[in-house]
Amino acid sequence: MSELDVTSRYNWSVYYVDPKGGDFYGTRQPLKLREDVSDLFHVVSDSDRIDLIAYRYYGDVRLWWIIAELNNILNPLEILPGTILRIPTYERIQMQVLS
């Protein structure tokens, strides 16, 4: 990870690494959701897509990025069957992420 100048507008952002070699920066603060006893777990099947998993647990396909980030998924199109995903409850993300 390269160092950022403290005055950089990206200093607070999520740092993403391009697997093909180029570095680039996100534009939002990282999620700070620790594991909790209320978290659910989902075993990925052959027919699963991360957006549909988000719909199943949150009722909104646009929240796929929360599942991806909390499970360190860099490419959401390549989640392997058998992968166990940690899914925080909607109430937790509503209070701590979506507010």
Side-chain angles (χ1 to χ4, degrees):
M1 181 166 150
S2 58
E3 294 296 319
L4 292 172
D5 184 273
V6 293
T7 61
S8 170
R9 66 182 173 149
Y10 296 110
N11 192 36
W12 58 268
S13 66
V14 176
Y15 183 78
Y16 295 96
V17 177
D18 183 354
K20 295 186 173 110
D23 294 344
F24 62 101
Y25 297 91
T27 57
R28 62 178 174 73
Q29 294 188 12
L31 294 179
K32 295 179 182 171
L33 282 177
R34 296 182 181 194
E35 289 189 31
D36 190 74
V37 294
S38 66
D39 289 347
L40 305 170
F41 294 92
H42 179 87
V43 179
V44 176
S45 69
D46 290 334
S47 61
D48 277 340
R49 290 188 349 220
I50 199 161
D51 58 336
L52 297 178
I53 295 170
Y55 184 77
R56 177 178 178 184
Y57 290 96
Y58 302 140
D60 191 341
V61 296
R62 296 172 297 171
L63 300 179
W64 66 268
W65 62 272
I66 294 171
I67 298 169
E69 184 167 330
L70 289 177
N71 290 281
N72 297 318
I73 298 170
L74 295 177
N75 186 348
L77 299 175
E78 295 181 1
I79 53 173
L80 299 174
T83 303
I84 299 172
L85 301 175
R86 179 171 69 99
I87 314 282
T89 62
Y90 183 76
E91 291 75 19
R92 281 188 68 213
I93 66 165
Q94 187 175 30
M95 289 187 311
Q96 298 179 14
V97 178
L98 303 177
S99 60

